[in-house]
């Protein structure tokens, strides 16, 4: 699995570079584009040194699994990867892998954008029938945000309910809070990583400086460690070489460039990755949906009425100023937030394509797209709320107890 990109990565891609080049800013803490159509993802692939998820790879995945890929892959919402070919090849040789993803629990309220990696991960778990570990980085949020350790820890458990409500299989899934799970083989794995990353490297990759608290400095090793099966002896029976696939948003890639760089020096396999694009803010694709900007977000707890109001009031329109002009020149799907959201959540390819054509030609007005979107989002959130209400403390506890899963290693 050795590739050249990772050894270069530590030196070459530094946070802050983007700002100098007037490029899009994409790092674990900021996403900002100066373009109306949002981040230039092809450029990002070049800058980060990852590979595009193209038709050839999609066909390869479909051949290996015997089933059509999820529309997130089909529509380029997951658009970039590292080492997917190698992972698929191993899967075909019946060598098992596992999935790893995570969430930083910074607020009670999760929004639609937060669902994206978990929807993808659930599809991967169902399709490949593999173990899944989900890291809740309450430590990270405590180190970075203005909240108490107790509060960050509590939020881990609240967010775990939303994650479980996405439909993960209890027999195949281990969810953990860093505060709780720290220790043992996980901590040993963290220390192995820490010893192999210098301050200069961490500062270069993540933009830390002499003013940063020392917890931040060492946190990247904590997010890296679950990429190695040595962190989970109860699942992998002590095996340290089970390969890992990480679905995540592209802003998390710096952590995993670092991880892939140290892996060979530890004798561990490099994790494979698939990266998603960002879920745009209601105000438009220049930035992503953010829980700290309530008007930019549709929350999973929103009522049907507030979804309707928010979409109607805030969803940026790619339509023309007057109906007359719109009929004549048509709408712009690339900037229209309602259309962009439909790409994430309207599963029917034909219907989506028809909407695209009819909006671009001017036949459909923005109001129609908004109405379609409102209905879909109301359904998604109300179903999510129903499932979440069924997730008791007892269920959370079971998911979060270190234990053997249904797989033998
Ligand atoms: N740092 C991520 C966040 O703030 C949380 C996270 C931890 C994560 N491990 C991960 C995300 C693995 C994706 C994959 O949300």
């Amino acid at each position: 699995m050795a590739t050249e990109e990772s050894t270069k990565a530590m030196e070459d891609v530094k946070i802050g570079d983007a700002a100098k080049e007037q490029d899009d800013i994409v790092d674990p803490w900021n996403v900002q584009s100066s373009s109306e159509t949002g981040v230039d993802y092809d450029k990002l692939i070049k800058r980060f040194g990852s590979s595009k998820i193209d038709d050839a790879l999609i066909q390869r995945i479909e051949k290996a699994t015997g089933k059509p890929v999820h529309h997130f892959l089909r529509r380029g919402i997951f658009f970039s990867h590292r080492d997917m070919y190698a992972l698929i090849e191993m899967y075909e040789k019946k060598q098992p892998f596992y999935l790893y993803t995570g969430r930083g629990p910074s607020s009670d309220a999760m929004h639609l954008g937060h669902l994206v990696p978990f929807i993808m991960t659930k599809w991967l778990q169902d399709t490949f029938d593999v173990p899944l570990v989900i890291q809740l980085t309450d430590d990270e949020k405590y180190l970075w945000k203005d909240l108490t350790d107790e509060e960050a820890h509590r939020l881990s458990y609240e967010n775990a309910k939303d994650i479980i409500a996405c439909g993960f299989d209890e027999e195949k899934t281990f969810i953990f809070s860093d505060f709780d799970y720290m220790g043992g083989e996980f901590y040993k794995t963290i220390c192995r990583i820490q010893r192999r990353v210098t301050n200069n490297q961490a500062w270069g990759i993540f933009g830390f400086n002499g003013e940063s608290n020392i917890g931040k400095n060492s946190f990247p090793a904590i997010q890296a460690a679950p990429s190695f099966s040595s962190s989970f002896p109860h699942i992998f029976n002590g095996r340290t070489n089970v390969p890992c696939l990480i679905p995540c948003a592209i802003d998390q890639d710096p952590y995993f460039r670092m991880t892939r760089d140290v892996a060979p020096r530890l004798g561990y396999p490099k994790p494979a990755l698939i990266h998603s694009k960002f879920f745009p803010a209601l105000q438009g694709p220049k930035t992503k949906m953010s829980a700290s900007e309530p008007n930019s977000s549709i929350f999973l707890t929103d009522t049907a009425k507030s979804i309707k109001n928010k979409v109607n009031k805030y969803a940026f329109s790619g339509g023309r100023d007057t109906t007359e002009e719109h009929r004549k020149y048509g709408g712009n799907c690339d900037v229209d937030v309602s259309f962009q959201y439909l790409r994430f959540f309207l599963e029917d390819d034909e219907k989506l394509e028809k909407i695209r054509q009819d909006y671009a030609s001017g036949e459909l007005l923005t109001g129609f797209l908004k109405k379609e979107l409102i209905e879909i989002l109301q359904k998604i959130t109300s179903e999510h709320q129903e499932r979440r209400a069924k997730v008791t403390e007892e269920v959370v506890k079971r998911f979060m107890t270190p234990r053997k899963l249904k797989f033998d290693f």
Side-chain angles (χ1 to χ4, degrees), residues 10 193 197 205-206 220-221 224 254-262:
M10 288 242 207
I193 299 162
V197 182
I205 301 169
F206 299 100
Y255 288 112
F256 303 116
R257 287 199 294 271
M258 184 196 89
T259 309
R260 288 168 55 88
D261 193 84
V262 296

Side-chain angles (χ1 to χ4, degrees), residues 103 106-110 151 154-155 158-159 162 301 388:
R103 152 143 186 95
S106 54
S107 68
D108 265 311
M110 282 178 61
E151 180 66 355
R154 184 188 71 78
L155 290 172
E158 279 311 301
N159 288 181
D162 281 301
T301 47
R388 191 187 197 275

